[in-house]
Amino acid sequence: MFCPECGSTDKEMVGDICIDCFLKEFQMIELPERIEVQICSHCNSKLEEGKWSDEFIPEEEIIYRALERNIKIADEVENEDINLEIDQIKGTIASCYVEVVGEVHGTQIDEVHETEVKLLKTVCPTCSKVQSGYYETVIQFRADSREIKPQEYKKADEVVERTLIKQSKKDKLAYCPQIAKLKEGYDYYIGSFKTGKKVAEALTEEFGGIIKESPRLISEDKSTGKGLYRIWISVRIPEFEVDDFIKYENKIIQVSAITKSSVMGQELSNDKKHNIPMKNMEDIELVKKASEIETTTIISKSPSIIQILDPSDYSAVDLEMKEEFSDYNIGDEIRLIKIDDYIYLLN
């Protein structure tokens, strides 16, 4: 066979022409002269195939990825080695070149292609929401039948901030655009629902309490006809605190700890330890605050009786001696709490 291009009869044929004529017109890669990439000017995420992804990537990395994505390698190329270089960046336009070394039908070829990558700065939907103060959830931080203390508000702010910092590594809407400081408590506006739930859980980890969710219809998606909701999450912390006295199932208990899932304490009449599920908070009654603990004097003691002065009228009261009070002496001061006209000594 002879090559119709050059008339050669002694060269390898590729299709209807010889290898030399084939390689004259052959290009190992196809690359557009200009590549455009939409990126968010706030987070550097990029738009590809209708989806925003890979936020916080340096611009040079975005350019290299755009080059890689737009290179098409011919099927005939083997053992290719591709080198990407950014020559210079002026404004939003990067002048680049791509060098390719590969083998085509046993012949090594070296090609250099020039192109430019233009970064089209815009704002992704998520950053647009952030800029507008968008929120999906409101955390209502409340206390049950009491005012929240200043130190509790301070601690709640710390818990919210700590949770948002942790969540921001995987959720761009993990932010709080507004805190409404109301008489009854704080309302924390949280960008995303999933982070809002994490904040609510973190608050109950710190304070205990009950979480309740309440979705509210705010508008309708015109394209789908579906309702758009915001979620109000109530975090109601207990009326009682550590060292307070509660009544549960007719037992008087001094609270020793409050966790997300339970209230722990010790029964005053027999020192029995109790672990009350937090879900039963509605059935727990606060009967005395720790601030109402009083102090009195021991005026007499025996192996079975300890006699004290009632601090309300200074009358003598005989109480059963317990092992934990055996080291007390006449004249010593001892702590007590009076509940339902009954005096309980406290160690």
Side-chain angles (χ1 to χ4, degrees), residues 167-317:
Q167 283 294 112
S168 65
K169 297 175 182 177
K170 50 190 173 182
D171 181 5
K172 288 170 64 176
L173 289 177
Y175 74 111
C176 181
Q178 179 185 352
I179 301 176
K181 298 182 179 182
L182 310 175
K183 182 180 180 181
E184 60 270 25
Y186 283 7
D187 285 354
Y188 297 95
Y189 290 70
I190 307 298
S192 74
F193 173 58
K194 64 180 179 181
T195 290
K197 291 192 71 171
K198 292 291 186 182
V199 170
E201 290 169 2
L203 287 170
T204 56
E205 287 280 2
E206 181 69 34
F207 298 98
I210 295 175
I211 296 174
K212 291 184 179 179
E213 295 182 13
S214 176
R216 302 182 189 179
L217 180 66
I218 56 169
S219 63
E220 185 178 276
D221 189 325
K222 295 180 180 179
S223 61
T224 64
K226 295 182 179 180
L228 297 176
Y229 291 85
R230 283 200 176 109
I231 311 297
W232 267 250
I233 302 179
S234 169
V235 176
R236 187 160 57 89
I237 66 176
E239 179 182 10
F240 50 85
E241 301 170 81
V242 172
D243 292 332
D244 286 348
F245 301 87
I246 60 174
K247 181 184 285 187
Y248 179 73
E249 296 181 343
N250 293 319
K251 301 177 182 68
I252 303 299
I253 299 168
Q254 185 173 21
V255 177
S256 59
I258 300 173
T259 70
K260 177 182 178 180
S261 57
S262 64
V263 179
M264 290 169 276
Q266 185 169 310
E267 191 172 346
L268 296 187
S269 61
N270 56 20
D271 298 331
K272 182 180 179 181
K273 296 186 184 300
H274 290 270
N275 195 322
I276 307 168
M278 186 58 72
K279 64 181 181 180
N280 296 342
M281 193 175 86
E282 301 283 359
D283 300 322
I284 300 174
E285 177 189 354
L286 172 67
V287 291
K288 287 284 183 174
K289 297 291 293 181
S291 59
E292 297 179 84
I293 293 174
E294 299 179 89
T295 303
T296 190
T297 303
I298 298 172
I299 58 175
S300 177
K301 65 175 288 192
S302 71
S304 58
I305 298 295
I306 184 169
Q307 189 176 67
I308 63 165
L309 289 175
D310 185 335
S312 62
D313 57 11
Y314 299 103
S315 61
V317 179

Side-chain angles (χ1 to χ4, degrees), residues 140-191:
Q140 295 179 307
F141 182 62
R142 303 287 188 269
D144 192 17
S145 303
R146 69 174 175 88
E147 291 187 357
I148 299 176
K149 298 177 180 179
Q151 59 265 35
E152 290 176 315
Y153 281 129
K154 181 179 179 181
K155 177 61 69 174
D157 286 347
E158 292 172 356
V159 169
V160 172
E161 182 180 7
R162 184 169 64 245
T163 306
L164 292 177
I165 291 173
K166 182 178 179 180
Q167 283 294 112
S168 65
K169 297 175 182 177
K170 50 190 173 182
D171 181 5
K172 288 170 64 176
L173 289 177
Y175 74 111
C176 181
Q178 179 185 352
I179 301 176
K181 298 182 179 182
L182 310 175
K183 182 180 180 181
E184 60 270 25
Y186 283 7
D187 285 354
Y188 297 95
Y189 290 70
I190 307 298

Side-chain angles (χ1 to χ4, degrees), residues 83-98:
N83 181 39
L84 310 176
E85 291 292 340
I86 299 173
D87 188 30
Q88 62 177 347
I89 300 176
K90 290 186 177 180
T92 59
I93 298 177
S95 299
C96 310
Y97 65 87
V98 177

